[in-house]
Amino acid sequence: MEKGIIVYQSKYGAAKKYAGWLQDMTNFYCAERSKVTADEVTLYETVIFCGGIYASGIAGLSFLRKNMEKLKSKKVAILCVGASPYDENAFAEIKAHNLTGALKDVPLFYGRGAWDESKMKLVDRTLCKMLQKSVAKKDPGTWEPWMKTLMSAKGQSCDWTDRNYLSPLLDYLQK
């Protein structure tokens, strides 16, 4: 049996970047979600799933949810990647929204991602612009951390990825 695998789903590259860093730090095999099967994943002792956060959902998590029965004897962890700075309340909401059923007890970790409207697909760019207009109508003193990020990143290219976000996950893997 192989030591570990990192399965990632990345829309704009930040989750892929973290998966690559994890591969360098762990020597685990790394594969894009669309290029690996559940049967291949079961060959590994440790499974790390890495996906971006979009509209409160973790991209590709359905793969893990659908295959948790096959992975119940494995050490499984999830790294979610979002543009907002880490916020305990927002993280708790992401966890409550995504880690239900068979995923309820899977450890969840966070890495801050990137933002580049020029790389976004039209639908994502349009949704972000609509959200920015909505947030702009609110009192800035009431903005949540994700709202501040959304408004400050408007029209910019930002990369907040940092290997240091992986430390808690690496600590977990050593247990």
Side-chain angles (χ1 to χ4, degrees):
M1 185 167 291
E2 296 291 326
K3 184 76 174 145
I5 185 170
I6 302 151
V7 179
Y8 70 91
Q9 184 160 327
S10 187
K11 199 170 191 180
Y12 296 111
K16 181 179 181 179
K17 189 176 194 178
Y18 278 108
W21 284 341
L22 277 169
Q23 182 181 30
D24 291 343
M25 296 169 164
T26 62
N27 290 317
F28 287 0
Y29 180 70
C30 186
E32 189 173 359
R33 172 29 231 127
S34 63
K35 296 181 177 157
V36 70
T37 67
D39 289 336
E40 290 170 319
V41 173
T42 63
L43 300 174
Y44 296 87
E45 296 171 23
T46 302
V47 178
I48 302 170
F49 183 83
C50 182
I53 301 170
Y54 305 100
S56 299
I58 301 171
L61 201 58
S62 58
F63 171 80
L64 205 53
R65 185 173 284 111
K66 185 168 60 172
N67 294 294
M68 275 308 288
E69 184 62 30
K70 292 179 181 180
L71 301 173
K72 65 183 174 186
S73 66
K74 311 295 180 186
K75 186 172 197 170
V76 179
I78 301 166
L79 174 68
C80 60
V81 179
S84 296
Y86 179 81
D87 176 75
E88 192 68 40
N89 292 332
F91 186 69
E93 287 178 26
I94 293 294
K95 189 172 186 175
H97 179 76
N98 290 277
L99 302 189
T100 59
L103 299 180
K104 188 178 84 142
D105 296 322
V106 176
L108 181 66
F109 301 90
Y110 183 80
R112 191 163 184 203
W115 176 274
D116 189 345
E117 291 174 19
S118 70
K119 292 182 179 177
M120 290 182 188
K121 294 179 181 175
L122 178 61
V123 67
D124 291 336
R125 196 170 46 248
T126 301
L127 289 171
C128 287
K129 287 185 187 299
M130 289 171 48
L131 193 54
Q132 287 165 337
K133 285 181 182 179
S134 174
V135 170
K137 294 176 185 174
K138 298 179 182 216
D139 174 5
T142 65
W143 288 354
E144 294 180 41
W146 69 265
M147 294 175 177
K148 291 176 186 175
T149 298
L150 179 72
M151 299 308 284
S152 67
K154 185 177 178 180
Q156 297 185 49
S157 175
C158 305
D159 185 346
W160 302 287
T161 57
D162 186 334
R163 288 176 182 255
N164 290 323
Y165 281 108
L166 299 175
S167 292
L169 174 55
L170 293 171
D171 290 345
Y172 166 76
L173 293 175
Q174 292 178 355
K175 292 180 187 175

